[in-house]
Amino acid sequence: MKMSEKNIIFTRPHKTIYEQDGKVVKVFDQNYTLSSVLNEAKNEALVQENTDLNVPKVLAVTKEEGGWSITREHIEGKTLAQLMEEHPEKLDEYMEQFVDLQLMIHQQRVPAIKTLRHKLADQINSLKDIDATARYELSARLQSMPKHNKLCHGDFNPSNIIVDKEGKLWVIDWAHAAQGNASADAAMTYLLFALHNKDAAEQYLKLFCKKADTARQYVNRWLPIVAAAQLTKKKEEESKLLMSWIDVVEYQ
């Protein structure tokens, strides 16, 4: 399928998203292996097959000029992040919808998907930006946390939610999905907010803890672990703040 710059919806590091013939095509660059692209497509197929969540259908995995791609059905609408920016007066309403949707995801079960514990362990062990002692302490903390099997998105933020013309919420980008502890997923969402807007992060976590009846201290215990996981994405602009959160004593 021939891609044209005029069809670009948006770009992210190492990937470009196009609208083509009524479909969305996400093209990955050479940093992505076929196995990683297939894993993302598999995660989305598993969520589609095992839940009632609104997830765009995967239509194909193909090789493009720039790299491997995933083709999905196109959902007309705006991301929740766009709506939050365009209508700041509705932020409270949007945040309620956002947290309710995340709690709905956590109610789902997808037994065939990778466990969050194994995913986080692999990410921690792959880190060479922190020393062996810190990796050991993070791994020990991870192993001590309660084991759950709730569906976790792993990258749940407003830019990964599309609101269609009827107000229906669609969840995209399931590359980091896993089954595990919902508070770990909430900690990652808090971190993603905090990297750009600390006030929004605080509003989110206060609301999540209230609706989930979860102690903030418990979510905080996951922060060094998910900060280490985020550090593996090697985003230079985030590294300083993430390294400060990896201190495993700070959130005791």
Side-chain angles (χ1 to χ4, degrees), residues 12 153-157 160 173 176 185 188-189 192 233:
R12 290 182 177 177
H153 184 276
D155 190 18
F156 194 73
N157 69 83
N160 281 334
D173 286 357
H176 302 287
D185 202 41
M188 178 60 81
T189 297
L192 294 172
K233 296 182 181 179

Side-chain angles (χ1 to χ4, degrees), residues 46-75:
L46 286 170
V47 174
Q48 290 166 17
E49 294 167 0
N50 292 276
T51 75
D52 296 324
L53 299 169
N54 297 316
V55 180
K57 293 179 181 178
V58 175
L59 303 175
V61 175
T62 54
K63 185 68 181 294
E64 308 292 343
E65 290 181 4
W68 289 98
S69 72
I70 300 176
T71 302
R72 305 175 175 88
E73 66 174 324
H74 181 46
I75 306 301

Side-chain angles (χ1 to χ4, degrees), residues 109-141:
R109 301 294 181 270
V110 183
I113 212 162
K114 186 174 183 177
T115 66
L116 183 60
R117 185 174 300 273
H118 286 141
K119 180 180 178 64
L120 291 171
D122 289 345
Q123 290 173 311
I124 290 169
N125 291 330
S126 73
L127 273 179
K128 302 306 177 188
D129 296 325
I130 58 177
D131 62 32
T133 298
R135 292 198 302 273
Y136 174 83
E137 291 175 338
L138 287 165
S139 296
R141 170 173 289 209

Side-chain angles (χ1 to χ4, degrees), residues 7-12 15-19 24-26:
N7 298 119
I8 293 176
I9 300 175
F10 59 87
T11 61
R12 290 182 177 177
K15 64 194 78 168
T16 305
I17 294 86
Y18 300 84
E19 193 280 322
V24 170
V25 184
K26 180 192 283 189

Side-chain angles (χ1 to χ4, degrees), residues 137-149:
E137 291 175 338
L138 287 165
S139 296
R141 170 173 289 209
L142 173 61
Q143 294 306 316
S144 72
M145 300 300 278
K147 298 178 176 63
H148 296 166
N149 62 348

Side-chain angles (χ1 to χ4, degrees), residues 28 54 57 170 206:
F28 302 82
N54 297 316
K57 293 179 181 178
W170 296 76
K206 181 178 179 180

